[in-house]
Amino acid sequence: MGRVLVVGLAGAVRRWPVVLLLWAVGALFGLAFSIAAGHWLDQALEASLATRTLLQDLSLNLLIELWHYHRESLTLLLAVGAVLGLTQLAVTIALNAGVAGTAQDARAAVTWAEFWKRAFGLYPVFARLWLLATAAELLVLGGLASATWLGVRWLAESPDEMARYYLIAAATVVGGPLLLLLVTIHDHARLYAARKGGGALQAMGWAGWFVVRGDARAFLLALVLVALGGAGYLLYRSVVMFVPATSAFGVTVSLLWGQVLLQSRALLRVTAFVAESELQAELLE
């Protein structure tokens, strides 16, 4: 496992321009919505003190008043956010296709010509894989939510006040690994489609077998990557707590530190694809 992680990280470092591209795309869409939301708040609140204190004091009453008195303009802002989100999704599918399509040889340099060739060539199958994976994830979430809701209603008259909380905790414990399993299968399906070709259903079926029965390290690697991502987020939050966002300097430091988090996530995303590709190569070759 350690060797696979080292190979993945080394491959991601060799692909640093791709890491920067993933970060830049995420930052660009985030900046676009932030500008739109900031302009809307400035207009809705008429540059009042509340505009400058929302970052520190997000009042529910204020949000209710904004919805009540500025519903039309807020609806427009949400529409802008939806358009930006769908556009980012479409671009992200292409970027993931480029990363997965060039992840087979961790030691080889990646040219932009090859990256974009793979990104556009694999886009149709990657889009179908995203639809299949999203449908499966929603099905799992819907099933767990429905079962939990029915269980909570059934326990409404229970003398044990903690019973419903135990039920919710159990659903969370079951749902977390299931969702991670589906995400891992999705990743390996994308890599298989990039390596071997074929349709989305074939790739998803092979990836399901590989993650569940082919190589036990596939799910373990996913757990390690999630732990690394969680550790990075905890480090980010621990620093943000001591940076007061009440001045221009504090806000600037917070924004720059946030970009470091986004860059680390982009590095981890490329590391995951390269490391998972290394696992597949050991079996397929």
Side-chain angles (χ1 to χ4, degrees), residues 258-281:
Q259 297 312 305
V260 172
L261 174 67
L262 291 178
Q263 287 181 341
S264 67
R265 287 182 173 179
L267 178 67
L268 195 62
R269 175 78 291 212
V270 179
T271 299
F273 271 125
V274 177
E276 289 167 342
S277 181
E278 187 73 11
L279 281 182
Q280 285 193 17

Side-chain angles (χ1 to χ4, degrees), residues 143-179:
L144 285 172
S146 299
T148 303
W149 179 76
L150 290 173
V152 168
R153 290 199 61 183
W154 181 63
L155 294 171
E157 302 298 329
S158 173
D160 186 357
E161 295 182 358
M162 294 298 296
R164 67 189 67 183
Y165 298 106
Y166 293 145
L167 181 62
I168 295 173
T172 303
V173 170
V174 172
L178 276 177
L179 288 176

